[in-house]
Structure formats: C-alpha cells, structure tokens
Amino acid sequence: MYKNKNGGFSLLELIVVIAIMAVLGGIVIGNSNYSKSAQVKKYTELTDGFMRKARTEIMSKNTVSGVCLYEKEGCYYIEEDIEEKMEQLNKEKENGGTVTFETVKREKLGKPHGVEISAAKQDGTGEKTLRDNAGDSLSTFIRIGYDRSTGAVSKFCVNTEDISDLTYTKITFKKGENSKCIEINPATGKHQQK
C-alpha cells in the first residue's frame, strides 16, 4: 500500500506555532511600551526631585535662585543657578544678546532617547519643546526662579524670548503615547507629577 508523505503541517501544529508567536509578540510589544514609559518616568522623577531640593535650598541659602532645564550636546541637564544671572537675563533680553548661566549644581538626566521635554501653559496652549543648544549660550531652556521667603515661583522663563510668564505651569516629558507632567503652582512653588 502506498502512503502519501507530503511533509506539510497539520492544523494543530499551525495553531500551536501561531499561539507561540502571538505570546512572544505580546512580550516584545509590552517590553517596548515599558521601556518608553520607564524613560519618561525616570526623567520626570529626576527633574521633580531636583526641583524639590533646589526650592528647599533656595529658601535656606543666599546663593541659589532657580533651576534651569535644557538640552546640550545631545544630553538633558538640570541645574541650579545664581540670582545675579537672572538680572543678567533681563538685561541681555533688553539688549538682544544671549544669556549664560553660572551653575551652582548640575545633574545630567541623560540622552533624550526619543523623550521630548516641553513647557506649556496651564490650559495646555503655548507648548514649547526643548531643542539641543549649540555653542556656549543657551537659547532653548526652561528656567524657574523661586522667591527666597515663600518658595513661590517668581520667574518662569521659556527660551530667551519669554523672560517671565507665570502662565506657564507645566513641564511635560513625552515619548510616543507615553507622557508624564510636572504641574507647578506658581503661588506656592510646590509641584506634583501627573
């Protein structure tokens, strides 16, 4: 008797292979979304922690006046700066020049890895995204100045053209569909992650 050996797959074998591929695909997609949200969460938490410490130091020391968040040479940084430089910022703005900051303390957040950092008004309008700064000066940054006695926000600068706009209250960290936000209450200087 002759047997047909065509070497094909049975229906059961195909179902098992498809099921295995679906599980593996789910794991890969899940890990991809997790890594995107993990990077966003990391930058948000580092910035939030730095801002909290800086605000506390500002209220207890005379040398620090605010924080500045920017991208330089392919890395995000956040730093504390000195009050005299805020006065320089206003003078330079009037003269159309660029601003340099004297750093008290700096923390490297890391390479962007596709994460965009932006500032926006409370209602979500006026969004401005940080861009990499070339050369020695900063032209794209987010700077928050605090009042020494109350800790309230005294300045909220977004780039050099917006010297002080307290309607900006959100800093957003976004990668794809994943985003986190630090919302600042200008009256108190306190903030929270959302």
Side-chain angles (χ1 to χ4, degrees):
M1 181 175 216
Y2 176 75
K3 290 188 178 182
N4 185 7
K5 295 185 180 183
N6 61 8
F9 296 105
S10 70
L11 181 60
L12 181 59
E13 289 170 327
L14 286 174
I15 291 173
V16 168
V17 168
I18 291 171
I20 291 170
M21 289 175 64
V23 169
L24 291 175
I27 291 171
V28 168
I29 290 170
N31 283 340
S32 171
N33 284 339
Y34 175 76
S35 70
K36 286 179 186 176
S37 67
Q39 198 72 38
V40 167
K41 184 178 179 183
K42 173 188 168 190
Y43 288 164
T44 306
E45 288 179 356
L46 284 171
T47 303
D48 182 59
F50 192 92
M51 288 171 63
R52 286 182 197 282
K53 287 194 306 189
R55 184 175 170 270
T56 302
E57 287 179 18
I58 287 162
M59 293 172 64
S60 64
K61 295 181 181 177
N62 290 331
T63 56
V64 179
S65 63
V67 296
C68 183
L69 180 63
Y70 60 93
E71 182 180 354
K72 187 94 167 157
E73 297 173 358
C75 281
Y76 285 131
Y77 294 93
I78 187 164
E79 64 183 38
E80 293 178 357
D81 64 323
I82 294 178
E83 186 171 288
E84 292 80 24
K85 296 304 174 184
M86 192 62 213
E87 293 168 11
Q88 178 190 352
L89 175 65
N90 289 317
K91 288 177 188 172
E92 293 287 344
K93 167 64 175 160
E94 291 169 8
N95 297 327
T98 58
V99 179
T100 57
F101 291 95
E102 189 171 327
T103 303
V104 176
K105 179 172 40 174
R106 180 185 328 184
E107 187 168 317
K108 182 178 178 179
L109 299 178
K111 295 188 182 248
H113 298 293
V115 176
E116 287 187 346
I117 302 176
S118 62
K121 297 182 179 186
Q122 188 173 12
D123 62 3
T125 62
E127 184 177 38
K128 296 189 180 190
T129 303
L130 290 182
R131 299 285 177 235
D132 202 350
N133 289 282
D136 293 332
S137 63
L138 295 179
S139 59
T140 172
F141 57 87
I142 299 167
R143 186 191 181 282
I144 303 165
Y146 295 97
D147 182 270
R148 291 192 195 293
S149 58
T150 64
V153 175
S154 60
K155 305 276 185 188
F156 196 115
C157 305
V158 183
N159 305 336
T160 53
E161 66 269 9
D162 301 319
I163 290 304
S164 183
D165 190 346
L166 295 182
T167 62
Y168 279 86
T169 59
K170 293 182 177 184
I171 301 174
T172 303
F173 302 80
K174 184 177 179 181
K175 184 173 184 178
E177 296 296 316
N178 298 295
S179 69
K180 285 190 74 82
C181 178
I182 297 174
E183 286 195 11
I184 304 161
N185 181 341
T188 63
K190 294 182 178 178
H191 55 275
Q192 62 182 349
Q193 293 182 40
K194 290 192 173 188

